[in-house]
Amino acid sequence: MALIQCQFFSEVLSLSTSMTVILPQQTSSQIGMENRMKADKHQTLYLLHGFSDDDTIWTRRTSIERYVAPLGLAVVMPQVHQSFYTDMKYGNRYWTFLTEELPEIARSFFPLSEKREDNFVAGLSMGGYGAFKWALRHPDRIAAAASLSGALDMAKWIKQPNHLQDVFSLIYGEDEIANTDNDLLWLLEQGEKQTLKPDLYQCCGTEDFLYDSNLTFTAKCEQTSYSLTTDYGPGSHEWEYWDEKIKDVLKWLPLK
């Protein structure tokens, strides 16, 4: 595998930013690793970070590079700060950056497939919210999405007293997000009108503070025709859990 720390300029954000990228490499003599490259243009997993992290965190806290090595899968991990993958009311346009500019830039730098069936997204916590939002809003571009301990009922969470209220004010302002494109539960309803639907995978630990939010999403999704795989069991909001579950996500992805 090739591990690349990529600094580049974003026209959407009007600033220099970064992404961490893992690219497949075919090898035959590397000790202790099975590396595989399956095509000229790679299937791609966009892997999203959580609220307190950045684009390097998945490679620092998990063995994601080792896990994807035999799969021939490219992984693109962008930096979005504390934006909740949203075009902020008082801040930058991180949703537009993520879903419009980032794939175009990444594909201009690296041999990544543009085909829907070759593109997936996953994330933890804030990134789980971003992953499902991307897949539900752009089912024509994303074939499968996974949320690990995701913040999946944002319309309810931002109204509850919590330590993120100042951040939520910058992101959403005073706007109501229920029944908008920033509300995953509403997006599920709207998605019933769509012919294309991404496959969804959802996991959360039963000791996680976002467990109830995940149950709410599951119940809503089960009222629709989306294909949802769920995994609930012991675990909290921490990296030991996510390091294990990302392996399950990789097994679940519809890889060629």
Side-chain angles (χ1 to χ4, degrees):
M1 304 297 287
L3 177 63
I4 301 166
Q5 300 297 138
C6 181
Q7 282 72 42
F8 63 99
F9 185 81
S10 165
E11 296 285 354
V12 169
L13 303 177
S14 296
L15 54 78
S16 294
T17 186
S18 60
M19 59 179 161
T20 300
V21 180
I22 301 171
L23 293 179
Q25 178 188 9
Q26 188 74 46
T27 62
S28 59
S29 59
Q30 188 172 15
I31 297 173
M33 290 281 286
E34 177 191 353
N35 289 294
R36 191 159 74 119
M37 187 168 68
K38 296 185 292 186
D40 291 335
K41 288 196 173 182
H42 310 307
Q43 289 189 289
T44 306
L45 172 65
Y46 292 89
L47 188 55
L48 310 183
H49 67 76
F51 180 78
S52 62
D53 300 319
D54 63 15
D55 61 291
T56 69
I57 199 66
W58 278 100
T59 57
R60 293 164 57 200
R61 298 284 189 268
T62 76
S63 293
I64 185 66
E65 182 181 1
R66 179 164 56 87
Y67 300 154
V68 301
L71 304 178
L73 178 69
V75 184
V76 176
M77 295 162 276
Q79 161 74 277
V80 303
H81 301 284
Q82 296 176 333
S83 67
F84 271 82
Y85 300 88
T86 300
D87 284 348
M88 300 173 68
K89 186 79 171 181
Y90 306 105
N92 232 318
R93 295 188 296 151
Y94 282 100
W95 170 254
T96 302
F97 163 73
L98 174 73
T99 61
E100 303 294 337
E101 187 180 33
L102 176 72
E104 182 178 334
I105 288 178
R107 289 167 188 158
S108 74
F109 293 163
F110 312 113
L112 308 178
S113 174
E114 298 178 3
K115 297 177 181 177
R116 175 187 184 267
E117 62 267 28
D118 291 338
N119 282 272
F120 321 110
V121 59
L124 68 91
S125 195
M126 179 184 83
Y129 168 72
F132 273 2
K133 185 163 68 166
W134 192 353
L136 293 174
R137 286 176 64 170
H138 293 296
D140 58 323
R141 306 179 195 175
I142 301 293
S147 167
L148 295 80
S149 311
L152 304 184
D153 189 4
M154 288 298 298
K156 180 178 180 180
W157 193 22
I158 66 172
K159 290 187 174 183
Q160 297 175 338
N162 60 71
H163 68 288
L164 300 182
Q165 283 301 323
D166 289 344
V167 176
F168 290 151
S169 295
L170 292 175
I171 298 170
Y172 303 109
E174 300 302 318
D175 295 343
E176 175 64 59
I177 72 167
N179 301 318
T180 74
D181 283 344
N182 287 316
D183 178 5
L184 299 183
L185 305 183
W186 184 80
L187 289 174
L188 285 173
E189 295 178 1
Q190 300 308 301
E192 285 295 270
K193 307 170 187 176
Q194 304 283 345
T195 302
L196 288 174
K197 291 182 176 64
D199 292 336
L200 302 176
Y201 176 99
Q202 178 190 4
C203 67
C204 188
T206 52
E207 289 73 48
D208 196 304
F209 71 95
L210 291 173
Y211 178 61
D212 289 342
S213 172
N214 276 260
L215 292 178
T216 298
F217 183 90
T218 297
K220 185 70 173 182
C221 195
E222 288 176 343
Q223 299 172 15
T224 72
S225 57
Y226 280 93
S227 174
L228 175 67
T229 300
T230 57
D231 180 5
Y232 291 115
S236 58
H237 210 74
E238 48 85 27
W239 279 102
E240 184 177 1
Y241 178 83
W242 299 320
D243 186 40
E244 285 298 315
K245 293 304 177 182
I246 193 61
K247 291 186 282 187
D248 294 335
V249 170
L250 294 172
K251 292 176 184 176
W252 169 82
L253 287 177
L255 300 179
K256 297 175 182 177

